[in-house]
Amino acid sequence: PVSMAAAEGELYIDQNRRNLMNLILVGSAAVTVGGLAVPYILFFLPPGSGGGGGGSPAKD
Amino acid sequence: MATNKFFKSLLFTLTIAISVFGFSVENSFAYPVFAQQNYSNPRAANGKLACANCHLNQKAIEIEAPQGVLPNSVFEVEIKVPYDLSRKQIAANGKPAGLNVGGILILPKGFKLASKNQISEEVKAKNKGVFISPYSTEFDNILVVGPIAGKKHQELIFPVVAPDPAKDPDVKYLTYPFYAGGNRGRGQVYPTGEKSNINAFGATQAGQITNITTGEKGESQITIVNSEGNSTSQTLSAGLQLLVKQGDIVKQDQPLNIDPNVGGFGQEESEIVLQDSARILGYLAFCFCLLLTQIFLVIKKKQYEKVQAAELNF
């Protein structure tokens, strides 16, 4: 059809452009989801016992 | 330190002497000092502040404080103690006198009164002549002020410095409650347990009032005779307006005078967030990422709509 040809002539979005947009979207979504997921996972790691010198050994 | 203590005790003794014996004309004070002497912790388990034990009338106060503060920052907590400035109360000698105000601020542990060099000039000017002190050495997070002239100070401004969780391991970044109390006017009960003259005095027994005489200082002596002929007499201090007249029949504890109390105590509580600036930064960064993702999602949709429109295949 004529109208379709005109639309194609104006701007046809090829597969490369679509893949590029997909990458940008997945990248930004990964940062956002990571922002939620990383603290969520860290919550389940028990807090460090402070370390320091550890207990001092008993001397007899 | 020793001299400071000496002056404090001197001040205490003087205040008590003045109030109990009624030497002073300007005896129209609210006394945080009385609470400091008689209650190690001014807040009871049910949340009632000790002031309400003697300041029996209730009048509202307002708190104005920041919603959140950063560690180590200096901020102001304002207690508003409004009252009708045109009204007068009676002093201990029965003469009309202006009202004074006082306040107490119970902050979370770790919060302290700001030192002099931390307070801004503006607040210093407003607080000129106002002496704010910690409640005791044990509770330096509880601040008291007063008595100060209510005419000039309807607002009590407490400069406070926030603690730093990095330096003090007992302090955490949390939302903390804090409590405030404010009073205007004289109290109804002395620490000794005696009533002040700001009270409605009841008849000591049921019976007929046979005689009312007025003394030279203005105090009135009321004699009541009951049905069995027993006579009691009670003295009402000067300045009180009598409700009864000679010949009246009264019941026991029926008030003989109009309650002269125009002041009152009020308490209020609020919350303050001790905020970590890193949390806010992280949150803003996350919001920015979220915004970007949403924008990209919509752009992707628009892009694919064009493909769908071109291919007419959906």
Side-chain angles (χ1 to χ4, degrees):
Chain A
V2 184
S3 64
M4 226 184 101
E8 275 174 50
E10 266 174 34
L11 179 76
Y12 184 72
I13 297 158
D14 60 21
Q15 192 60 44
N16 282 343
R17 282 168 171 252
R18 286 168 60 184
N19 285 344
L20 181 66
M21 193 64 227
N22 284 349
L23 279 176
I24 293 172
L25 179 60
V26 167
S28 90
V31 173
T32 309
V33 173
L36 282 176
V38 169
Y40 181 77
I41 291 162
L42 286 180
F43 176 81
F44 289 100
L45 302 178
S49 51
S56 56
K59 286 167 187 160
D60 51 345
Chain B
M1 194 65 209
T3 48
N4 198 2
K5 251 192 177 157
F6 169 70
F7 277 120
K8 250 189 191 169
S9 59
L10 196 74
L11 205 74
F12 287 176
T13 343
L14 266 179
T15 3
I16 292 174
I18 288 168
S19 66
V20 171
F21 300 111
F23 284 154
S24 164
V25 182
E26 273 295 301
N27 189 9
S28 45
F29 296 158
Y31 289 118
V33 140
F34 285 164
Q36 281 170 295
Q37 287 169 330
N38 291 294
Y39 300 92
S40 66
N41 188 345
R43 188 171 181 268
N46 59 4
K48 188 173 97 168
L49 298 186
C51 320
N53 291 338
C54 299
H55 293 278
L56 304 179
N57 211 6
Q58 203 176 1
K59 272 202 170 158
I61 61 156
E62 273 176 61
I63 308 177
E64 216 168 81
Q67 187 264 334
V69 292
L70 292 174
N72 267 331
S73 61
V74 179
F75 60 98
E76 282 89 40
V77 178
E78 209 175 299
I79 302 178
K80 291 184 177 173
V81 191
Y83 68 90
D84 185 355
L85 282 174
S86 64
R87 299 190 74 176
K88 295 265 181 201
Q89 65 179 354
I90 57 169
N93 58 4
K95 299 221 168 71
L99 274 72
N100 281 353
V101 296
I104 182 165
L105 178 65
I106 304 180
L107 291 162
K109 267 247 171 292
F111 286 73
K112 283 185 181 69
L113 185 64
S115 62
K116 246 188 196 144
N117 52 9
Q118 289 174 307
I119 305 171
S120 69
E121 290 301 322
E122 189 195 344
V123 175
K124 255 186 204 168
K126 273 191 196 165
N127 263 357
K128 206 164 189 196
V130 177
F131 184 67
I132 301 170
S133 62
Y135 191 76
S136 58
T137 45
E138 187 193 353
F139 290 113
D140 55 357
N141 57 325
I142 302 177
L143 308 177
V144 289
V145 67
I148 49 176
K151 215 175 242 176
K152 281 189 217 154
H153 300 277
Q154 302 259 298
E155 288 147 11
L156 309 168
I157 302 168
F158 296 82
V160 180
V161 60
D164 190 354
K167 285 179 195 144
D168 186 354
D170 293 336
V171 178
K172 305 275 186 280
Y173 290 110
L174 283 175
T175 304
Y176 290 100
F178 69 95
Y179 313 95
N183 180 67
R184 65 296 252 172
R186 295 177 58 214
Q188 279 67 61
V189 188
Y190 287 115
T192 52
E194 291 160 14
K195 280 181 166 186
S196 74
N197 61 350
I198 307 262
N199 270 306
F201 292 93
T204 47
Q205 68 171 358
Q208 188 176 30
I209 294 172
T210 54
N211 195 18
I212 298 179
T213 55
T214 308
E216 52 191 49
K217 279 180 186 161
E219 78 272 19
S220 28
Q221 186 121 19
I222 299 176
T223 311
I224 303 172
V225 178
N226 72 0
S227 53
E228 285 154 19
N230 294 333
S231 158
T232 59
S233 112
Q234 60 188 114
T235 312
L236 262 55
S237 43
L240 296 176
Q241 251 183 304
L242 293 188
L243 271 173
V244 291
K245 55 187 188 300
Q246 202 167 327
D248 280 1
I249 310 266
V250 292
K251 294 191 205 97
Q252 185 165 5
D253 292 331
Q254 181 182 330
L256 300 176
N257 66 304
I258 297 169
D259 192 352
N261 195 354
V262 294
F265 175 74
Q267 69 177 73
E268 203 58 61
E269 66 176 86
S270 185
E271 283 178 341
I272 198 158
V273 181
L274 184 58
Q275 189 60 268
D276 186 354
S277 54
R279 289 182 185 177
I280 300 294
L281 280 176
Y283 175 69
L284 287 180
F286 177 73
C287 283
F288 181 70
C289 291
L290 198 66
L291 188 71
L292 273 185
T293 307
Q294 286 178 327
I295 290 169
F296 285 141
L297 271 169
V298 172
I299 292 176
K300 177 69 208 177
K301 179 167 176 278
K302 291 280 170 203
Q303 185 193 46
Y304 191 61
E305 271 172 1
K306 281 196 171 153
V307 176
Q308 284 176 317
E311 291 178 351
L312 285 177
N313 177 27
F314 48 88

